[in-house]
Amino acid sequence: MTPKELVLALFSAAFIEHDPDAARQLVTADYIQHDPQVPTGAEGLMGLIPLVQQSGMTATTHRVITEGDMVVLHNTYDNADAFGAPSLAAFDIFRVEDGKIAEHWDNLQPIPETTASGRGMTDGPTEITDLDKTQANKALVLGFVRDVLGGAAPENVTNYMDPEVYMQHNPSIEDGLSGLMVAIESFAAQGMVITKFEPQFAVAEGNFVFVATDAIMGGEPWAFFDLWRVEDGKIVEHWDVVSPIPAEMAHDNGKF
């Protein structure tokens, strides 16, 4: 199976069919887990599966982004009260090694009833296009993250995006560059200043680029998992899932 097929098979076995035996065949015995609440190793994942089934939680995958041995799923979890909220937006990232899934990262965020832009956290385009532009689009997005979000050269923002064309799915931010700037100023006024924004890995396929970032905001550690869509050499759309990184985890692997 391809990395994408492996990951979708595991996701189906674990979260739809609730079949630990099928799931176990797809992962390495020393499966590395970065979800703060789930123990590492294959058995940590197997222990999660009956809890998912008992809770009645359902999962929907909206986008699948694959590059090399990395696969990103953009998901919604419903009936997820047992895991923190009625509905959760999530990114699940898997690394494949020698025909099995060897590592998993994720980030989850409650989905609010209303958003600043009127868009949901997971709706919008899903079609992957421009495969020949994958690396150029990846470089564009990483430049935007470095210069604009990381603060290295924010004056270069128009190199990466049209200020008027930036469709926003973050529930707290309105469309356009103006919406992003207003949000940053609002967060700063609340003491939520970003003092560290360091990408840990990126996964790109065609017009979609995903970046996982280790951040310090308001003096506390946060994880930013962002997905951007690129069109004609400019960033035009953004989804994210943002969550604090807990001090204690069920393993020693860290969030990243």
Side-chain angles (χ1 to χ4, degrees):
M1 287 190 282
T2 65
K4 178 179 178 179
E5 290 169 340
L6 272 170
V7 166
L8 291 177
L10 174 64
F11 197 75
S12 178
F15 294 101
I16 298 173
E17 299 160 13
H18 309 116
D19 186 342
D21 292 333
R24 188 179 284 107
Q25 300 303 311
L26 300 169
V27 303
T28 59
D30 58 350
Y31 178 78
I32 301 170
Q33 179 65 258
H34 295 275
D35 181 302
Q37 307 303 320
V38 182
T40 198
E43 294 311 310
L45 174 61
M46 301 313 119
L48 176 66
I49 293 173
L51 299 178
V52 170
Q53 183 175 22
Q54 292 162 17
S55 73
M57 188 182 79
T58 60
T60 303
T61 297
H62 305 278
R63 293 170 188 82
V64 183
I65 314 299
T66 305
E67 182 182 14
D69 60 0
M70 302 288 284
V71 181
V72 177
L73 303 185
H74 193 190
N75 294 319
T76 299
Y77 296 106
D78 292 307
N79 302 316
D81 299 82
F83 297 90
S87 295
L88 294 164
F91 283 109
D92 288 273
I93 303 91
F94 300 87
R95 181 178 62 83
V96 173
E97 182 178 285
D98 297 330
K100 291 202 172 184
I101 299 167
E103 194 163 7
H104 169 255
W105 301 258
D106 66 359
N107 224 24
L108 300 99
Q109 182 178 340
I111 298 175
E113 292 185 4
T114 61
T115 65
S117 69
R119 295 185 180 85
M121 291 188 70
T122 56
D123 60 358
T126 61
E127 182 183 4
I128 294 173
T129 62
D130 300 329
L131 290 175
D132 60 320
K133 299 178 182 176
T134 294
Q135 294 309 313
N137 290 340
K138 187 176 187 178
L140 178 81
V141 166
L142 288 174
F144 174 77
V145 171
R146 178 193 65 242
D147 286 355
V148 180
L149 301 182
E155 67 276 9
N156 292 339
V157 64
T158 55
N159 293 342
Y160 305 107
M161 62 182 287
D162 179 336
E164 301 301 321
V165 184
Y166 190 62
M167 291 172 275
Q168 183 64 256
H169 294 267
N170 178 299
S172 302
I173 304 177
E174 295 183 354
D175 285 347
L177 177 60
S178 60
L180 179 60
M181 293 299 102
V182 166
I184 291 173
E185 291 171 3
S186 175
F187 296 154
Q190 300 171 51
M192 301 297 281
V193 177
I194 295 176
T195 54
K196 170 184 162 184
F197 204 78
E198 298 179 355
Q200 302 301 298
F201 57 87
V203 181
E205 186 176 11
N207 54 329
F208 285 98
V209 182
F210 169 85
V211 181
T213 302
D214 184 14
I216 298 293
M217 183 169 64
E220 299 294 331
W222 287 73
F224 283 69
F225 283 23
D226 295 270
L227 179 67
W228 284 274
R229 183 171 67 86
V230 179
E231 188 174 278
D232 297 328
K234 296 285 187 179
I235 297 169
V236 296
E237 195 160 7
H238 170 251
W239 299 259
D240 66 0
V241 173
V242 180
S243 69
I245 300 176
E248 296 185 4
M249 300 189 186
H251 49 70
D252 296 324
N253 300 326
K255 182 72 174 181
F256 297 100

